[in-house]
Each structure stands twice: as structure tokens, then as C-alpha cells.
Amino acid sequence: MTSAGSEPVSGHRGNQPRQYLLTRDGWAALPEGRTEVVAGVLVPSPRPMWFHLRSVTRLAFLLDEQLCPEMSAGAEAELLLCETPLTIRVPDVVVTSAEVAEANPARIEAADAELVIEVLSPGTKHVDQGAKLFEYADAGIEHYWIVDVDPPVSMIAYRLIGGDYENFGEYSGSVELEIAGAPVKLDLNALIDPRAQR
């Protein structure tokens, strides 16, 4: 018998334990927590440490302050990449339209994400630089930035070209880029400075 919100994996044989892939309804019924789902399989994610959280909060704030009024940046929003098999990631920062943000959605559709940013941490670094690079590209998200907060703080900016991400620049110190037509300036070192924004 299939549990609510899941569907059996095909190919079940003999005495092998039956596995179930999570559906969207099943995901919505889970208690709140830091988890993602990849191809229907629930993937726990380690809680980030304080410095990582501080960097993510500052990054989202700095972007949101400079974006055009039609855009909005937020931290740790659920991002629906694929309905079947279900894949939901939780990027550190997502930039979407102000209209989508003001609707207060439970999750953002990939088609509504202009930019996703991952801030590297030891527990998720290999996923951010590997699997997510392909998943975000497959979902059609135009911009993907990866920030490494280990000194010296650096960032790689990827842009979707012909279905694949191309490296559009590696940065440190002060960065000036454009998002949805709006110029944004970031001091990457301020992401780890304990005195910044006081």
C-alpha cells in the first residue's frame, strides 16, 4: 500500500525493501525543517553555522536594497525545479519578481527565479559546485552565483547559454554586476566582516 504523498519506485523485486518517491503533496505535508527533495528522494541538509547564516542574510539584504522595484531578493526560499520526479532545492538566496514575492508563496517556481546564489559551506560545497550546477541549468535559471566565504572571499558568476552555464567571471573584493537590468554593487568582504552594517 502506498503512503499518502508518495508513489512506489518501479522495478521492485523479491525481498528488496520497497522505496517511495516523494510527491509534491507529500512534500507539503512534511513538518518544517531544512530538507530538500531530489528526484523524489528526501535529502536532509545540515543546518548552517553562524558565519554562513550571517553572510547569507547580508547578501540577500544588499541585493534587495539595490534591485529595481520590480524585483526582490530573499534568503532560503524553496525552489521547485521539477514536478516529476519532484526536485525542490533551497538556495541560500533567490531573486524573483516583486509580484511573486508579494504573493508570499510557499515555494518559488524555477521559471520565476532570475538568479540563485549558493554560499559554500563544508557540508554542501560538493553539491553546490556539482549537482546544483546542472539542476539549476536544466530548470532554465539564467543566473547562478557561487560565493566562497573562506578568505579571501570570492564569487563565480555563471550565466545560462544554450542550456549550459558558462563562467561569466570570478570576483573578489568589490563586484559590480547587473541583475534584471539593474546595476548592483557588492563588497564581498563585508559578507564576513563582523562590524559591517552596524
Side-chain angles (χ1 to χ4, degrees):
M1 188 150 87
T2 304
S3 61
S6 62
E7 54 190 33
V9 177
S10 60
H12 171 70
R13 283 174 288 181
N15 294 327
Q16 294 176 338
R18 185 180 294 265
Q19 292 183 324
Y20 293 91
L21 298 181
L22 204 61
T23 64
R24 190 169 181 174
D25 288 341
W27 170 262
L30 290 174
E32 288 187 15
R34 190 177 175 84
T35 55
E36 297 177 317
V37 59
V38 179
V41 178
L42 197 63
V43 179
S45 183
R47 293 296 305 174
M49 298 180 74
W50 181 261
F51 289 173
H52 181 274
L53 289 171
R54 182 173 64 192
S55 297
V56 168
T57 302
R58 286 183 181 165
L59 185 54
F61 173 80
L62 289 170
L63 286 175
D64 199 52
E65 287 289 289
Q66 299 178 72
L67 290 171
C68 63
E70 292 77 28
M71 304 301 291
S72 181
E76 296 196 353
E78 289 184 5
L79 182 64
L80 177 63
L81 299 178
C82 183
E83 187 81 44
T84 307
L86 185 67
T87 299
I88 295 176
R89 290 295 193 177
V90 185
D92 289 312
V93 178
V94 176
V95 173
T96 188
S97 71
E99 181 181 6
V100 168
E102 288 303 312
N104 195 28
R107 62 198 52 85
I108 306 293
E109 305 276 341
D112 293 324
E114 176 78 19
L115 162 70
V116 291
I117 306 174
E118 297 287 2
V119 176
L120 299 181
S121 59
T124 60
K125 185 174 186 176
H126 65 291
V127 178
D128 295 340
Q129 295 174 317
K132 290 185 179 181
L133 197 67
F134 297 101
E135 291 170 0
Y136 294 156
D138 286 345
I141 299 169
E142 186 175 0
H143 300 278
Y144 178 34
W145 297 353
I146 298 177
V147 177
D148 188 346
V149 291
D150 284 343
V153 183
S154 60
M155 184 179 84
I156 301 176
Y158 293 99
R159 187 165 187 181
L160 196 63
I161 304 292
D164 295 309
Y165 281 130
E166 290 190 12
N167 184 329
F168 258 61
E170 300 183 23
Y171 306 92
S172 59
S174 293
V175 179
E176 292 189 39
L177 293 168
E178 187 177 285
I179 305 172
V184 296
K185 185 182 293 186
L186 298 174
D187 178 1
L188 295 176
N189 293 320
L191 300 180
I192 62 168
D193 185 347
R195 297 167 299 173
Q197 296 182 347
R198 285 194 176 180

